[in-house]
Amino acid sequence: MATKNDSPQRILKAAVREFASRGFSGARVDDIALRARTNKQLIYYYYKNKEKLYEEVLRAVHAKVEKWIEASPDDPAENFKFWLGVHAKDSSYVHLMIWEGLELKGKRIPAESKRREFYKKSIEKIKKNIGPNFWPKSLDPEQALLTWICMVVTPFALPQICLLITGKKPTNAEFLEDRSAFFESLANILKDTGSK
């Protein structure tokens, strides 16, 4: 078992994996302790309770997403590939969001105003590319972002559908190449449409 000198970051990483796998309701502090190779008391020492630990998981994951948004390229084809690569390497955010959606049941979205702000940054990138740069003027930027997210995230959110349709897992190198090529073709079609 671990000692009190262990970094709370190890606990946080283990908690991200546990909550992404089972959601808030299904996650167990005992299992987080096992994943972190520590004891439950140390988790409570650092994070007080399961709710506070979950809040910290969401804060840490959203901080990572905010950095991804800042780093994402403006060029639409490159942006598609960027997000595809991000989720192929780390789909914990996708899984956390799936569980959050299932478990909300009318509750307030955690850190709602802050999260709205970082989605606004993505909407601004879309607005910057309206017209001959990429997006046809007839497309609503908010609907465009929602569609964009769905196109990138769906294979990782529903890997069984990806496997049934393509015969490949979403992390398969060949699938990622095919998906990138598809996005590049789609980006070119949209650019052509946007320039008319």
Side-chain angles (χ1 to χ4, degrees), residues 2-173:
T3 67
K4 191 176 170 181
N5 293 329
D6 279 349
S7 168
Q9 289 305 312
R10 188 189 331 182
I11 295 168
L12 192 59
K13 284 180 185 176
V16 168
R17 290 192 303 271
E18 180 70 11
F19 287 123
S21 297
R22 299 182 179 175
F24 177 79
S25 300
R28 299 286 172 259
V29 176
D30 286 329
D31 293 332
I32 294 168
L34 279 173
R35 283 179 186 263
R37 296 186 315 271
T38 190
N39 60 59
K40 200 159 72 166
Q41 290 74 21
L42 195 59
I43 292 173
Y44 290 130
Y45 172 80
Y46 284 121
Y47 296 104
K48 308 298 180 218
N49 56 46
K50 183 179 167 184
E51 289 79 10
K52 296 285 184 198
L53 177 57
Y54 183 64
E55 285 172 17
E56 187 59 23
V57 161
L58 291 179
R59 188 207 58 74
V61 168
H62 289 124
K64 191 190 314 186
V65 172
E66 195 162 10
K67 286 179 185 172
W68 289 339
I69 290 169
E70 293 292 333
S72 66
D74 285 339
D75 177 76
E78 293 305 312
N79 190 285
F80 269 131
K81 290 178 192 176
F82 173 85
W83 286 106
L84 192 64
V86 161
H87 294 304
K89 288 179 191 157
D90 181 2
S91 58
S92 58
Y93 174 70
V94 173
H95 296 141
L96 281 166
M97 292 304 95
I98 291 168
W99 280 111
E100 182 182 74
L102 291 170
E103 294 178 328
L104 269 178
K105 297 178 186 162
K107 296 178 196 166
R108 192 166 168 264
I109 298 171
E112 183 175 350
S113 60
K114 182 162 177 50
R115 289 164 69 182
R116 278 185 191 275
E117 285 306 311
F118 67 68
Y119 283 116
K120 281 183 184 175
K121 290 177 186 176
S122 293
I123 291 168
E124 289 307 313
K125 283 191 181 205
I126 289 171
K127 286 180 179 175
K128 199 160 76 173
N129 286 296
I130 285 177
N133 295 329
F134 183 61
W135 291 103
K137 291 177 184 176
S138 60
L139 293 181
D140 176 85
E142 290 173 3
Q143 291 297 324
L145 178 60
L146 189 57
T147 301
W148 190 287
I149 290 169
C150 291
M151 286 193 300
V152 173
V153 167
T154 297
F156 304 101
L158 302 169
Q160 75 280 21
I161 303 297
C162 181
L163 188 60
L164 289 167
I165 292 171
T166 69
K168 300 174 188 83
K169 293 181 179 180
T171 52
N172 175 284

